[in-house]
Amino acid sequence: VGGRNLLLGTSVSIIGVGNNSANGNFNAQGGKYTLAGGKNISDLYTQYGSSGYLTISFDWVASGSTISGTFRPQWDENPYGGLAESAIKPSSTNTSGHYEWTVSLGRNGYATGFADGIEFRQDNLQGNITITNLKLESGNKATDWTPAPEDVVLDYTTKDNRIKETITQYQETNDGKVRKAQTDATTA
């Protein structure tokens, strides 16, 4: 199963649209992810300690007639850096990949940082970048993608409500009576 995903909403992939400018992001396309539990980076520092690590991982695919520029994950506020050694450089010959990076929580600015999420910075990017399987977890090893536990609970709540609606609709259309259905079964 792997480590706990510390980010909310990662079950939905995003398609970041390159805007061929400096210091852009994919936020308008849903590319900003919030830390679970209302936490920020200094809360993670407190929880896991200065000797702790965070590992980010995701898959990416570039598409479009012209593919160039760079993109990288970063914190959405102070301390901004630490989630990438260098920018990812998609091109016509580099159109997909799996990204993993580990950062020490002892890094400068993490103890007092107030970032509460992750976004993707783009610089002079042309083309589209699809991000899937995004995961931020404690530790220095990336594990297979799993949703944050809070996302799973929301998903089950949605399914439970759909089941209740279906039962209510059935009861309303059948005078509230539920009957045992009988059918003959044959084998061939």
Side-chain angles (χ1 to χ4, degrees):
V1 170
R4 180 204 200 291
N5 196 337
L6 300 171
L7 296 172
L8 297 174
T10 63
S11 63
V12 177
S13 64
I14 63 118
I15 299 176
V17 178
N19 62 15
N20 199 20
S21 66
N23 198 21
N25 59 53
F26 300 150
N27 294 1
Q29 293 87 39
K32 186 173 179 179
Y33 299 88
T34 305
L35 289 170
K39 293 187 177 186
N40 64 32
I41 187 64
S42 64
D43 295 328
L44 296 179
Y45 176 90
T46 300
Q47 181 175 355
Y48 300 114
S50 62
S51 60
Y53 293 91
L54 296 176
T55 297
I56 185 172
S57 60
F58 59 89
D59 297 314
W60 64 273
V61 175
S63 61
S65 57
T66 302
I67 302 171
S68 64
T70 65
F71 74 99
R72 74 174 74 206
Q74 69 178 22
W75 294 106
D76 65 345
E77 293 284 345
N78 187 333
Y80 293 105
L83 295 176
E85 179 180 27
S86 60
I88 300 166
K89 299 176 183 176
S91 68
S92 60
T93 59
N94 184 29
T95 58
S96 66
H98 177 77
Y99 181 86
E100 293 180 9
W101 182 252
T102 298
V103 62
S104 168
L105 282 164
R107 182 182 169 98
N108 190 26
Y110 278 41
T112 58
F114 50 87
D116 64 358
I118 289 176
E119 63 186 6
F120 288 87
R121 176 182 170 146
Q122 61 169 316
D123 287 298
N124 305 310
L125 183 69
Q126 295 185 68
N128 299 324
I129 304 295
T130 301
I131 305 285
T132 58
N133 302 320
L134 176 63
K135 187 172 188 181
L136 180 71
E137 58 194 304
S138 172
N140 60 4
K141 182 179 187 297
T143 61
D144 291 342
W145 178 86
T146 54
E150 295 86 345
D151 287 338
V152 173
V153 170
L154 291 174
D155 188 40
Y156 283 126
T157 301
T158 300
K159 289 178 184 174
D160 288 347
N161 287 337
R162 288 184 189 147
I163 291 168
K164 288 176 189 174
E165 288 172 13
T166 302
I167 291 169
T168 300
Q169 289 171 353
Y170 180 82
Q171 288 174 335
E172 288 172 358
T173 58
N174 293 286
D175 298 326
K177 298 175 184 172
V178 179
R179 297 176 180 84
K180 181 179 176 184
Q182 294 181 350
T183 58
D184 294 330
T186 58
T187 58

